[in-house]
Amino acid sequence: MITNAIGRAVPEQIEGYGRVKPFAGAFNTPPDMKRAAPAVKMRRPGESKLHGSLEEVFRAIPVKDGMTVSFHHHFRNGDYVLNMVLDTAARLGIKDLTVAMTALFPVHKPLLDHIKNGVVTDITTNYMSGPVADAVTRGILKRPVIMRTHGGRHRAIECGELKIDVAFIAAPACDDYGNLNGVMGPAACGSLSYAMADAEYADHVVVLTDFLCDYPLSPVSISQTRVDYVVKVDAIGDPKGIVSGTIRSIKDPVQLRIAQMAANVIKASGLIREGLSFQTGAGGATLATAQYLSKMIEEAGVTASFSVGGTTSFIVNMLNRGLLRKILDVQDFEREPIESIGSNPNHLEVSVDEYANPFNSGCIVNRLDTVILGATEIDMDFNVNVTTGSSGLIMGGSGGHSDSAAGAKLTIIVANLLRGRLSTVVDKTLTVTTPGESVDVLVTERGIAVNPLRKDLLEKMKAAGLPVKEIGELKAEAEKLAGVPGKIKTGDRAVAAIEYRDGTIIDVVRQVLD
Amino acid sequence: MITNAIGRAVPEQIEGYGRVKPFAGAFNTPPDMKRAAPAVKMRRPGESKLHGSLEEVFRAIPVKDGMTVSFHHHFRNGDYVLNMVLDTAARLGIKDLTVAMTALFPVHKPLLDHIKNGVVTDITTNYMSGPVADAVTRGILKRPVIMRTHGGRHRAIECGELKIDVAFIAAPACDDYGNLNGVMGPAACGSLSYAMADAEYADHVVVLTDFLCDYPLSPVSISQTRVDYVVKVDAIGDPKGIVSGTIRSIKDPVQLRIAQMAANVIKASGLIREGLSFQTGAGGATLATAQYLSKMIEEAGVTASFSVGGTTSFIVNMLNRGLLRKILDVQDFEREPIESIGSNPNHLEVSVDEYANPFNSGCIVNRLDTVILGATEIDMDFNVNVTTGSSGLIMGGSGGHSDSAAGAKLTIIVANLLRGRLSTVVDKTLTVTTPGESVDVLVTERGIAVNPLRKDLLEKMKAAGLPVKEIGELKAEAEKLAGVPGKIKTGDRAVAAIEYRDGTIIDVVRQVLD
């Protein structure tokens, strides 16, 4: 074991992953590699890419034991493709696959059967919740799951660290030569951002679609030049599953109070100005913050330059009302943004490379003024956990959390100080997802705490009369109400390794013993 | 010397280029390499890409003796950027540069001074005409110019054969983080297709713009993720120069007759049907053919699926009238297509990779029904010369000629049988640009000749009552009128090597001795 820059013990080596680079600070591990270089291909005029079934494609590639197969999660809990592909692999007797899915949801429960029968032996993902996450934390896999950030996954693919043999892309609309988009067809899901790196670098690219269009399809999210196989299936996913578990209506007075305070923090920091840029989430207080922020922008008579990240109806409404000039979109959470991205030229689909890859000539999060993010735990150094829950089970992951936190000028964590009967502020989070150095302000219903690294902000918050406290004070208050949380009992074995966006290991998740 | 598949003697080795792969047939040299793998970069939040001058950028990179600097020709004869960059290099005392410009025009005459003073020692291009082309053919450079096809240049860059140290991109509109497009600003030029490979694979990417926009700019033709430096200059080019020398009005009755016959060939081949796809050029009989083709499409009550290539007002008009569903655009020749590509979602900017790269999972020319191309000479095997003129001087080059000829089901060459007092049909063309195997029909004012490889077509042409002749008959007729052309006297030295789209050498151009 080695201790990394935030004091976490991480293994020196992970089986099936290789030597560990310990986390050394958000921008302290510059790249020293070249881009991945897939084999160059050729396709003669007249050759067809259309295949009658997934099995036919499996045989044509051919898919073999031990390969890495990749997927994207734009259908979230409505995805059909991952299960469909793994069922096919099982039928054909294929074993030892690594599943590289950008996020796993309860709908992917059948994956557990494919782990039990040996079809799947490894997983890498940016987020997981539900039965697969539970079973992983309880130790169902021999080797740790590698958990990345959205930007970090693109980086890992582009830098040759995550090598994809076969990418499976769920395309709401596709022509017979592989041009595809997410804005047309019965299962339109909007942006297809997460699938773009896979298409660019995988050895074989397979598109599944339930809406085959005339050539040439446009708009084009992923081009024919990188697509090898097209298969028409009955359905690629249930668009209703996109929404589930994402958008929660905000009526809780505590969350509203937190959101109002977070917006006040942005205002106090001087960022409510012409050209403000921001990212907000889709759930609870982060979504509510967007609503207060929107009001402030309107009252100030300014226009925000862009919002980035997953997109909600609320953000589309800001665009349509002229409060926001551009939406840079990686994922759509509701019907309205799906329609908007397909029709409004100021609502742009951007790749994850553009959004958040730390290793290119500059990604969008570098240009963020502020981001509002959640936390399940935060420690005295402002390190944040959004990976494991109070029982120690994995129930999330970074997604874009660490990416936007690292890029934004002002990173705000909004969180109830008490989660059930536990303090959110702790001495040491069970897991670190995002390092404290990229977190600026914690906003809770009982006051805000400013990272001591940001003395400039502290002065501004005080000057604005905001209820600033030391983070230790918040912890003490919470513990007075709820007591000191007992330590979660975990085993020694690492069931997941948390890779920071730059490819270093920031922490591991240890097995939960029942 | 070795003899290639079409009987041309080509050197085994070219200094500064390496071992020659002799042309072996249009699809007989499959790729056996991996994609180029540039170094991975990183840029921290807060870093600026804006620089005050080109000299500042030269020093920041730094640009050194012997580097390869690349450019794109969307401004054609109105380009200011190449001259501006080479002047800067000269001022800074830099020597031995290789200029990789997609096409060279008379406006680039100052390049000759930079060759004379040692700033530039090598050139690679897809097309050249004017003083530089003349001087090259007369032997001004020590080593041969490498002439590629548009698709072949993308391939050469992507396969690591054309390594670009610094790409200079002329951006009609750009933000301070490098997102750029060609459809806005005082010097809008439309599609920026030819610059895309350069941005993707060059070690350093420099954008010159005269229209700096608010971040984030959209639409995005080239993304911030690949742009390292942005420089504001007074003017990047004169849009008026785009048109010059390209669009010629067609009043010549001989050309009109040829065009009418070419359209009849398309009809006779059965291609006037729903979903027809086509490429036509911008000059003379090829443009006129589009007009007859358009009429046939209208009369048949069908809709063409797409046109691809450089785009004229006439093609935009077809789109607007509903005769054509999509324009896939690599370059704009007139004001109307520049406006259209910026506003009509069915008028799409496509990369050269998508257009014509032979080494990917399938390019657009593979889906072409028919292409109408020109020729300065054509031989008895239907090999076509569009590189050298009657004096032996270089006055063109493939551009997309060989690419679309290889992809299309029906490749038609339209040419006056007599050029001045010379026969266009010859025993042996001075230079071969496009191999005869990818040419199907020659249309002249004195009849059409069908490539004997296409017996199916011959039957259809005869059945339609078209004036079919043996290509030898056409040659005999021409020679009867104009005499047998004298052989052009050239030296032994190769001043240019013609690379076929797959990276093999199809021919060389020999020095013209005065």
PDB file of all heavy atoms in Angstrom, chain B residues 296-313:
ATOM      1  N   MET B 296     -33.600  16.363 -65.357  1.00  0.00           N
ATOM      2  CA  MET B 296     -34.045  14.962 -65.446  1.00  0.00           C
ATOM      3  C   MET B 296     -34.671  14.492 -64.134  1.00  0.00           C
ATOM      4  O   MET B 296     -35.667  13.763 -64.128  1.00  0.00           O
ATOM      5  CB  MET B 296     -32.853  14.061 -65.769  1.00  0.00           C
ATOM      6  CG  MET B 296     -32.447  14.126 -67.216  1.00  0.00           C
ATOM      7  SD  MET B 296     -30.989  13.096 -67.473  1.00  0.00           S
ATOM      8  CE  MET B 296     -30.701  13.404 -69.223  1.00  0.00           C
ATOM      9  N   ILE B 297     -34.044  14.902 -63.025  1.00  0.00           N
ATOM     10  CA  ILE B 297     -34.564  14.529 -61.700  1.00  0.00           C
ATOM     11  C   ILE B 297     -35.961  15.102 -61.527  1.00  0.00           C
ATOM     12  O   ILE B 297     -36.885  14.418 -61.082  1.00  0.00           O
ATOM     13  CB  ILE B 297     -33.595  15.038 -60.595  1.00  0.00           C
ATOM     14  CG1 ILE B 297     -32.319  14.191 -60.595  1.00  0.00           C
ATOM     15  CG2 ILE B 297     -34.264  15.011 -59.223  1.00  0.00           C
ATOM     16  CD1 ILE B 297     -31.196  14.752 -59.730  1.00  0.00           C
ATOM     17  N   GLU B 298     -36.119  16.340 -61.940  1.00  0.00           N
ATOM     18  CA  GLU B 298     -37.415  17.005 -61.812  1.00  0.00           C
ATOM     19  C   GLU B 298     -38.467  16.314 -62.684  1.00  0.00           C
ATOM     20  O   GLU B 298     -39.574  16.021 -62.222  1.00  0.00           O
ATOM     21  CB  GLU B 298     -37.263  18.478 -62.207  1.00  0.00           C
ATOM     22  CG  GLU B 298     -38.429  19.322 -61.763  1.00  0.00           C
ATOM     23  CD  GLU B 298     -38.159  20.816 -61.953  1.00  0.00           C
ATOM     24  OE1 GLU B 298     -37.082  21.176 -62.486  1.00  0.00           O
ATOM     25  OE2 GLU B 298     -39.034  21.596 -61.568  1.00  0.00           O
ATOM     26  N   GLU B 299     -38.093  16.034 -63.927  1.00  0.00           N
ATOM     27  CA  GLU B 299     -39.039  15.387 -64.844  1.00  0.00           C
ATOM     28  C   GLU B 299     -39.428  13.992 -64.381  1.00  0.00           C
ATOM     29  O   GLU B 299     -40.554  13.553 -64.561  1.00  0.00           O
ATOM     30  CB  GLU B 299     -38.433  15.341 -66.262  1.00  0.00           C
ATOM     31  CG  GLU B 299     -38.515  16.700 -66.956  1.00  0.00           C
ATOM     32  CD  GLU B 299     -37.584  16.778 -68.168  1.00  0.00           C
ATOM     33  OE1 GLU B 299     -37.097  15.708 -68.617  1.00  0.00           O
ATOM     34  OE2 GLU B 299     -37.340  17.900 -68.635  1.00  0.00           O
ATOM     35  N   ALA B 300     -38.477  13.300 -63.757  1.00  0.00           N
ATOM     36  CA  ALA B 300     -38.763  11.938 -63.290  1.00  0.00           C
ATOM     37  C   ALA B 300     -39.566  11.943 -61.996  1.00  0.00           C
ATOM     38  O   ALA B 300     -40.045  10.897 -61.548  1.00  0.00           O
ATOM     39  CB  ALA B 300     -37.454  11.172 -63.098  1.00  0.00           C
ATOM     40  N   GLY B 301     -39.687  13.112 -61.363  1.00  0.00           N
ATOM     41  CA  GLY B 301     -40.452  13.203 -60.115  1.00  0.00           C
ATOM     42  C   GLY B 301     -39.788  12.495 -58.949  1.00  0.00           C
ATOM     43  O   GLY B 301     -40.460  12.036 -58.030  1.00  0.00           O
ATOM     44  N   VAL B 302     -38.477  12.402 -58.986  1.00  0.00           N
ATOM     45  CA  VAL B 302     -37.756  11.757 -57.878  1.00  0.00           C
ATOM     46  C   VAL B 302     -36.962  12.812 -57.109  1.00  0.00           C
ATOM     47  O   VAL B 302     -36.911  13.979 -57.508  1.00  0.00           O
ATOM     48  CB  VAL B 302     -36.813  10.639 -58.391  1.00  0.00           C
ATOM     49  CG1 VAL B 302     -37.612   9.537 -59.058  1.00  0.00           C
ATOM     50  CG2 VAL B 302     -35.750  11.210 -59.337  1.00  0.00           C
ATOM     51  N   THR B 303     -36.363  12.386 -56.003  1.00  0.00           N
ATOM     52  CA  THR B 303     -35.522  13.285 -55.215  1.00  0.00           C
ATOM     53  C   THR B 303     -34.151  12.642 -55.052  1.00  0.00           C
ATOM     54  O   THR B 303     -34.057  11.457 -54.710  1.00  0.00           O
ATOM     55  CB  THR B 303     -36.132  13.514 -53.817  1.00  0.00           C
ATOM     56  OG1 THR B 303     -37.497  13.859 -53.972  1.00  0.00           O
ATOM     57  CG2 THR B 303     -35.397  14.619 -53.072  1.00  0.00           C
ATOM     58  N   ALA B 304     -33.119  13.426 -55.296  1.00  0.00           N
ATOM     59  CA  ALA B 304     -31.765  12.922 -55.072  1.00  0.00           C
ATOM     60  C   ALA B 304     -31.512  12.875 -53.563  1.00  0.00           C
ATOM     61  O   ALA B 304     -32.013  13.708 -52.814  1.00  0.00           O
ATOM     62  CB  ALA B 304     -30.747  13.822 -55.753  1.00  0.00           C
ATOM     63  N   SER B 305     -30.735  11.890 -53.105  1.00  0.00           N
ATOM     64  CA  SER B 305     -30.483  11.767 -51.664  1.00  0.00           C
ATOM     65  C   SER B 305     -29.404  12.746 -51.208  1.00  0.00           C
ATOM     66  O   SER B 305     -29.573  13.418 -50.208  1.00  0.00           O
ATOM     67  CB  SER B 305     -30.091  10.337 -51.307  1.00  0.00           C
ATOM     68  OG  SER B 305     -28.963   9.918 -52.038  1.00  0.00           O
ATOM     69  N   PHE B 306     -28.296  12.810 -51.932  1.00  0.00           N
ATOM     70  CA  PHE B 306     -27.265  13.766 -51.535  1.00  0.00           C
ATOM     71  C   PHE B 306     -26.373  14.139 -52.704  1.00  0.00           C
ATOM     72  O   PHE B 306     -26.242  13.377 -53.662  1.00  0.00           O
ATOM     73  CB  PHE B 306     -26.411  13.241 -50.370  1.00  0.00           C
ATOM     74  CG  PHE B 306     -25.472  12.102 -50.724  1.00  0.00           C
ATOM     75  CD1 PHE B 306     -24.175  12.347 -51.184  1.00  0.00           C
ATOM     76  CD2 PHE B 306     -25.882  10.782 -50.583  1.00  0.00           C
ATOM     77  CE1 PHE B 306     -23.312  11.303 -51.499  1.00  0.00           C
ATOM     78  CE2 PHE B 306     -25.017   9.730 -50.894  1.00  0.00           C
ATOM     79  CZ  PHE B 306     -23.735   9.994 -51.360  1.00  0.00           C
ATOM     80  N   SER B 307     -25.775  15.316 -52.590  1.00  0.00           N
ATOM     81  CA  SER B 307     -24.644  15.665 -53.437  1.00  0.00           C
ATOM     82  C   SER B 307     -23.475  15.878 -52.494  1.00  0.00           C
ATOM     83  O   SER B 307     -23.662  16.233 -51.325  1.00  0.00           O
ATOM     84  CB  SER B 307     -24.917  16.927 -54.234  1.00  0.00           C
ATOM     85  OG  SER B 307     -24.627  18.065 -53.459  1.00  0.00           O
ATOM     86  N   VAL B 308     -22.280  15.641 -52.959  1.00  0.00           N
ATOM     87  CA  VAL B 308     -21.107  15.778 -52.102  1.00  0.00           C
ATOM     88  C   VAL B 308     -20.006  16.494 -52.871  1.00  0.00           C
ATOM     89  O   VAL B 308     -20.021  16.532 -54.091  1.00  0.00           O
ATOM     90  CB  VAL B 308     -20.632  14.390 -51.583  1.00  0.00           C
ATOM     91  CG1 VAL B 308     -20.039  13.546 -52.705  1.00  0.00           C
ATOM     92  CG2 VAL B 308     -19.643  14.528 -50.410  1.00  0.00           C
ATOM     93  N   GLY B 309     -19.068  17.086 -52.132  1.00  0.00           N
ATOM     94  CA  GLY B 309     -17.932  17.739 -52.761  1.00  0.00           C
ATOM     95  C   GLY B 309     -17.978  19.235 -52.544  1.00  0.00           C
ATOM     96  O   GLY B 309     -18.612  19.717 -51.610  1.00  0.00           O
ATOM     97  N   GLY B 310     -17.306  19.952 -53.419  1.00  0.00           N
ATOM     98  CA  GLY B 310     -17.385  21.406 -53.399  1.00  0.00           C
ATOM     99  C   GLY B 310     -18.767  21.832 -53.864  1.00  0.00           C
ATOM    100  O   GLY B 310     -19.370  21.165 -54.699  1.00  0.00           O
ATOM    101  N   THR B 311     -19.269  22.929 -53.295  1.00  0.00           N
ATOM    102  CA  THR B 311     -20.679  23.248 -53.516  1.00  0.00           C
ATOM    103  C   THR B 311     -20.871  24.593 -54.204  1.00  0.00           C
ATOM    104  O   THR B 311     -20.242  25.585 -53.855  1.00  0.00           O
ATOM    105  CB  THR B 311     -21.430  23.210 -52.170  1.00  0.00           C
ATOM    106  OG1 THR B 311     -21.232  21.924 -51.587  1.00  0.00           O
ATOM    107  CG2 THR B 311     -22.917  23.422 -52.367  1.00  0.00           C
ATOM    108  N   THR B 312     -21.772  24.572 -55.196  1.00  0.00           N
ATOM    109  CA  THR B 312     -22.096  25.767 -55.972  1.00  0.00           C
ATOM    110  C   THR B 312     -23.508  26.240 -55.651  1.00  0.00           C
ATOM    111  O   THR B 312     -24.298  25.522 -55.052  1.00  0.00           O
ATOM    112  CB  THR B 312     -22.040  25.440 -57.482  1.00  0.00           C
ATOM    113  OG1 THR B 312     -22.995  24.402 -57.736  1.00  0.00           O
ATOM    114  CG2 THR B 312     -20.656  24.974 -57.909  1.00  0.00           C
ATOM    115  N   SER B 313     -23.819  27.432 -56.117  1.00  0.00           N
ATOM    116  CA  SER B 313     -25.171  27.974 -55.960  1.00  0.00           C
ATOM    117  C   SER B 313     -26.197  27.070 -56.614  1.00  0.00           C
ATOM    118  O   SER B 313     -27.318  26.924 -56.129  1.00  0.00           O
ATOM    119  CB  SER B 313     -25.261  29.356 -56.605  1.00  0.00           C
ATOM    120  OG  SER B 313     -24.359  30.224 -56.016  1.00  0.00           O
TER     121      SER B 313
END
